[in-house]
mmCIF file with all atom_site columns, all heavy atoms in Angstrom:
data_model
loop_
_atom_site.group_PDB
_atom_site.id
_atom_site.type_symbol
_atom_site.label_atom_id
_atom_site.label_alt_id
_atom_site.label_comp_id
_atom_site.label_asym_id
_atom_site.label_entity_id
_atom_site.label_seq_id
_atom_site.pdbx_PDB_ins_code
_atom_site.Cartn_x
_atom_site.Cartn_y
_atom_site.Cartn_z
_atom_site.occupancy
_atom_site.B_iso_or_equiv
_atom_site.pdbx_formal_charge
_atom_site.auth_seq_id
_atom_site.auth_comp_id
_atom_site.auth_asym_id
_atom_site.auth_atom_id
_atom_site.pdbx_PDB_model_num
ATOM 1  N N   . CYS U 1 148 ? -16.220 17.853 20.233 1.00 97.00 ? 148 CYS U N   1
ATOM 2  C CA  . CYS U 1 148 ? -16.274 18.486 21.594 1.00 97.00 ? 148 CYS U CA  1
ATOM 3  C C   . CYS U 1 148 ? -17.742 18.624 22.083 1.00 97.00 ? 148 CYS U C   1
ATOM 4  O O   . CYS U 1 148 ? -18.719 18.260 21.333 1.00 97.00 ? 148 CYS U O   1
ATOM 5  C CB  . CYS U 1 148 ? -15.614 19.851 21.538 1.00 97.00 ? 148 CYS U CB  1
ATOM 6  S SG  . CYS U 1 148 ? -16.581 21.193 20.679 1.00 97.00 ? 148 CYS U SG  1
ATOM 7  N N   . PHE U 1 149 ? -17.839 19.024 23.358 1.00 97.00 ? 149 PHE U N   1
ATOM 8  C CA  . PHE U 1 149 ? -19.226 19.176 23.984 1.00 97.00 ? 149 PHE U CA  1
ATOM 9  C C   . PHE U 1 149 ? -19.126 20.373 24.835 1.00 97.00 ? 149 PHE U C   1
ATOM 10 O O   . PHE U 1 149 ? -18.053 20.866 25.241 1.00 97.00 ? 149 PHE U O   1
ATOM 11 C CB  . PHE U 1 149 ? -19.732 18.021 24.610 1.00 97.00 ? 149 PHE U CB  1
ATOM 12 C CG  . PHE U 1 149 ? -18.764 17.255 25.480 1.00 97.00 ? 149 PHE U CG  1
ATOM 13 C CD1 . PHE U 1 149 ? -18.325 17.809 26.606 1.00 97.00 ? 149 PHE U CD1 1
ATOM 14 C CD2 . PHE U 1 149 ? -18.335 16.030 25.146 1.00 97.00 ? 149 PHE U CD2 1
ATOM 15 C CE1 . PHE U 1 149 ? -17.362 17.159 27.411 1.00 97.00 ? 149 PHE U CE1 1
ATOM 16 C CE2 . PHE U 1 149 ? -17.536 15.234 25.913 1.00 97.00 ? 149 PHE U CE2 1
ATOM 17 C CZ  . PHE U 1 149 ? -16.985 15.795 27.081 1.00 97.00 ? 149 PHE U CZ  1
ATOM 18 N N   . SER U 1 150 ? -20.345 20.914 25.263 1.00 97.00 ? 150 SER U N   1
ATOM 19 C CA  . SER U 1 150 ? -20.375 22.168 26.041 1.00 97.00 ? 150 SER U CA  1
ATOM 20 C C   . SER U 1 150 ? -19.997 21.956 27.503 1.00 97.00 ? 150 SER U C   1
ATOM 21 O O   . SER U 1 150 ? -19.279 22.811 28.131 1.00 97.00 ? 150 SER U O   1
ATOM 22 C CB  . SER U 1 150 ? -21.776 22.693 25.942 1.00 97.00 ? 150 SER U CB  1
ATOM 23 O OG  . SER U 1 150 ? -22.762 21.898 26.730 1.00 97.00 ? 150 SER U OG  1
ATOM 24 N N   . GLY U 1 151 ? -20.396 20.892 28.167 1.00 96.00 ? 151 GLY U N   1
ATOM 25 C CA  . GLY U 1 151 ? -20.258 20.720 29.559 1.00 96.00 ? 151 GLY U CA  1
ATOM 26 C C   . GLY U 1 151 ? -21.516 21.025 30.265 1.00 96.00 ? 151 GLY U C   1
ATOM 27 O O   . GLY U 1 151 ? -22.538 21.604 29.717 1.00 96.00 ? 151 GLY U O   1
ATOM 28 N N   . VAL U 1 152 ? -21.651 20.609 31.575 1.00 96.00 ? 152 VAL U N   1
ATOM 29 C CA  . VAL U 1 152 ? -22.709 20.799 32.444 1.00 96.00 ? 152 VAL U CA  1
ATOM 30 C C   . VAL U 1 152 ? -22.748 22.329 32.921 1.00 96.00 ? 152 VAL U C   1
ATOM 31 O O   . VAL U 1 152 ? -21.721 22.900 33.264 1.00 96.00 ? 152 VAL U O   1
ATOM 32 C CB  . VAL U 1 152 ? -22.711 19.877 33.648 1.00 96.00 ? 152 VAL U CB  1
ATOM 33 C CG1 . VAL U 1 152 ? -23.916 20.142 34.548 1.00 96.00 ? 152 VAL U CG1 1
ATOM 34 C CG2 . VAL U 1 152 ? -22.778 18.468 33.082 1.00 96.00 ? 152 VAL U CG2 1
ATOM 35 N N   . VAL U 1 153 ? -23.923 22.878 33.042 1.00 97.00 ? 153 VAL U N   1
ATOM 36 C CA  . VAL U 1 153 ? -24.040 24.256 33.647 1.00 97.00 ? 153 VAL U CA  1
ATOM 37 C C   . VAL U 1 153 ? -23.596 24.198 35.094 1.00 97.00 ? 153 VAL U C   1
ATOM 38 O O   . VAL U 1 153 ? -24.152 23.363 35.908 1.00 97.00 ? 153 VAL U O   1
ATOM 39 C CB  . VAL U 1 153 ? -25.443 24.764 33.588 1.00 97.00 ? 153 VAL U CB  1
ATOM 40 C CG1 . VAL U 1 153 ? -25.501 26.159 34.117 1.00 97.00 ? 153 VAL U CG1 1
ATOM 41 C CG2 . VAL U 1 153 ? -25.917 24.855 32.041 1.00 97.00 ? 153 VAL U CG2 1
ATOM 42 N N   . PRO U 1 154 ? -22.544 24.937 35.465 1.00 96.00 ? 154 PRO U N   1
ATOM 43 C CA  . PRO U 1 154 ? -22.042 24.893 36.941 1.00 96.00 ? 154 PRO U CA  1
ATOM 44 C C   . PRO U 1 154 ? -23.198 25.456 37.797 1.00 96.00 ? 154 PRO U C   1
ATOM 45 O O   . PRO U 1 154 ? -24.029 26.284 37.511 1.00 96.00 ? 154 PRO U O   1
ATOM 46 C CB  . PRO U 1 154 ? -20.935 25.907 36.817 1.00 96.00 ? 154 PRO U CB  1
ATOM 47 C CG  . PRO U 1 154 ? -20.463 26.048 35.378 1.00 96.00 ? 154 PRO U CG  1
ATOM 48 C CD  . PRO U 1 154 ? -21.752 25.837 34.615 1.00 96.00 ? 154 PRO U CD  1
ATOM 49 N N   . GLU U 1 155 ? -23.116 24.915 39.000 1.00 95.00 ? 155 GLU U N   1
ATOM 50 C CA  . GLU U 1 155 ? -24.086 25.326 40.046 1.00 95.00 ? 155 GLU U CA  1
ATOM 51 C C   . GLU U 1 155 ? -23.925 26.875 40.313 1.00 95.00 ? 155 GLU U C   1
ATOM 52 O O   . GLU U 1 155 ? -22.816 27.437 40.348 1.00 95.00 ? 155 GLU U O   1
ATOM 53 C CB  . GLU U 1 155 ? -23.830 24.554 41.377 1.00 95.00 ? 155 GLU U CB  1
ATOM 54 C CG  . GLU U 1 155 ? -24.765 24.815 42.478 1.00 95.00 ? 155 GLU U CG  1
ATOM 55 C CD  . GLU U 1 155 ? -24.485 24.051 43.773 1.00 95.00 ? 155 GLU U CD  1
ATOM 56 O OE1 . GLU U 1 155 ? -23.628 23.141 43.598 1.00 95.00 ? 155 GLU U OE1 1
ATOM 57 O OE2 . GLU U 1 155 ? -25.165 24.307 44.715 1.00 95.00 ? 155 GLU U OE2 1
ATOM 58 N N   . GLY U 1 156 ? -25.031 27.530 40.348 1.00 96.00 ? 156 GLY U N   1
ATOM 59 C CA  . GLY U 1 156 ? -25.081 28.927 40.601 1.00 96.00 ? 156 GLY U CA  1
ATOM 60 C C   . GLY U 1 156 ? -24.904 29.788 39.349 1.00 96.00 ? 156 GLY U C   1
ATOM 61 O O   . GLY U 1 156 ? -24.917 31.020 39.405 1.00 96.00 ? 156 GLY U O   1
ATOM 62 N N   . THR U 1 157 ? -24.802 29.147 38.128 1.00 97.00 ? 157 THR U N   1
ATOM 63 C CA  . THR U 1 157 ? -24.719 29.868 36.875 1.00 97.00 ? 157 THR U CA  1
ATOM 64 C C   . THR U 1 157 ? -26.048 29.811 36.094 1.00 97.00 ? 157 THR U C   1
ATOM 65 O O   . THR U 1 157 ? -26.597 28.765 35.918 1.00 97.00 ? 157 THR U O   1
ATOM 66 C CB  . THR U 1 157 ? -23.605 29.286 36.045 1.00 97.00 ? 157 THR U CB  1
ATOM 67 O OG1 . THR U 1 157 ? -22.310 29.312 36.674 1.00 97.00 ? 157 THR U OG1 1
ATOM 68 C CG2 . THR U 1 157 ? -23.535 29.957 34.644 1.00 97.00 ? 157 THR U CG2 1
ATOM 69 N N   . ASP U 1 158 ? -26.507 30.960 35.695 1.00 97.00 ? 158 ASP U N   1
ATOM 70 C CA  . ASP U 1 158 ? -27.838 31.011 34.955 1.00 97.00 ? 158 ASP U CA  1
ATOM 71 C C   . ASP U 1 158 ? -27.502 30.631 33.470 1.00 97.00 ? 158 ASP U C   1
ATOM 72 O O   . ASP U 1 158 ? -26.361 30.685 32.973 1.00 97.00 ? 158 ASP U O   1
ATOM 73 C CB  . ASP U 1 158 ? -28.503 32.354 35.036 1.00 97.00 ? 158 ASP U CB  1
ATOM 74 C CG  . ASP U 1 158 ? -27.638 33.478 34.363 1.00 97.00 ? 158 ASP U CG  1
ATOM 75 O OD1 . ASP U 1 158 ? -27.741 33.680 33.210 1.00 97.00 ? 158 ASP U OD1 1
ATOM 76 O OD2 . ASP U 1 158 ? -26.926 34.162 35.157 1.00 97.00 ? 158 ASP U OD2 1
ATOM 77 N N   . THR U 1 159 ? -28.497 30.178 32.782 1.00 97.00 ? 159 THR U N   1
ATOM 78 C CA  . THR U 1 159 ? -28.311 29.576 31.522 1.00 97.00 ? 159 THR U CA  1
ATOM 79 C C   . THR U 1 159 ? -27.861 30.735 30.532 1.00 97.00 ? 159 THR U C   1
ATOM 80 O O   . THR U 1 159 ? -27.078 30.451 29.541 1.00 97.00 ? 159 THR U O   1
ATOM 81 C CB  . THR U 1 159 ? -29.539 28.927 30.923 1.00 97.00 ? 159 THR U CB  1
ATOM 82 O OG1 . THR U 1 159 ? -30.668 29.801 31.024 1.00 97.00 ? 159 THR U OG1 1
ATOM 83 C CG2 . THR U 1 159 ? -29.855 27.690 31.747 1.00 97.00 ? 159 THR U CG2 1
ATOM 84 N N   . ASP U 1 160 ? -28.369 31.927 30.581 1.00 98.00 ? 160 ASP U N   1
ATOM 85 C CA  . ASP U 1 160 ? -27.862 32.973 29.759 1.00 98.00 ? 160 ASP U CA  1
ATOM 86 C C   . ASP U 1 160 ? -26.384 33.199 29.878 1.00 98.00 ? 160 ASP U C   1
ATOM 87 O O   . ASP U 1 160 ? -25.613 33.384 28.835 1.00 98.00 ? 160 ASP U O   1
ATOM 88 C CB  . ASP U 1 160 ? -28.604 34.360 29.988 1.00 98.00 ? 160 ASP U CB  1
ATOM 89 C CG  . ASP U 1 160 ? -30.101 34.267 29.602 1.00 98.00 ? 160 ASP U CG  1
ATOM 90 O OD1 . ASP U 1 160 ? -30.434 33.382 28.730 1.00 98.00 ? 160 ASP U OD1 1
ATOM 91 O OD2 . ASP U 1 160 ? -30.866 35.139 30.051 1.00 98.00 ? 160 ASP U OD2 1
ATOM 92 N N   . THR U 1 161 ? -25.925 33.249 31.060 1.00 98.00 ? 161 THR U N   1
ATOM 93 C CA  . THR U 1 161 ? -24.460 33.425 31.361 1.00 98.00 ? 161 THR U CA  1
ATOM 94 C C   . THR U 1 161 ? -23.662 32.175 30.721 1.00 98.00 ? 161 THR U C   1
ATOM 95 O O   . THR U 1 161 ? -22.586 32.315 30.110 1.00 98.00 ? 161 THR U O   1
ATOM 96 C CB  . THR U 1 161 ? -24.145 33.533 32.788 1.00 98.00 ? 161 THR U CB  1
ATOM 97 O OG1 . THR U 1 161 ? -24.798 34.693 33.267 1.00 98.00 ? 161 THR U OG1 1
ATOM 98 C CG2 . THR U 1 161 ? -22.673 33.671 33.073 1.00 98.00 ? 161 THR U CG2 1
#
Side-chain angles (χ1 to χ4, degrees):
C148 70
F149 43 67
S150 68
V152 178
V153 178
E155 185 177 354
T157 299
D158 63 85
T159 54
D160 287 344
T161 298

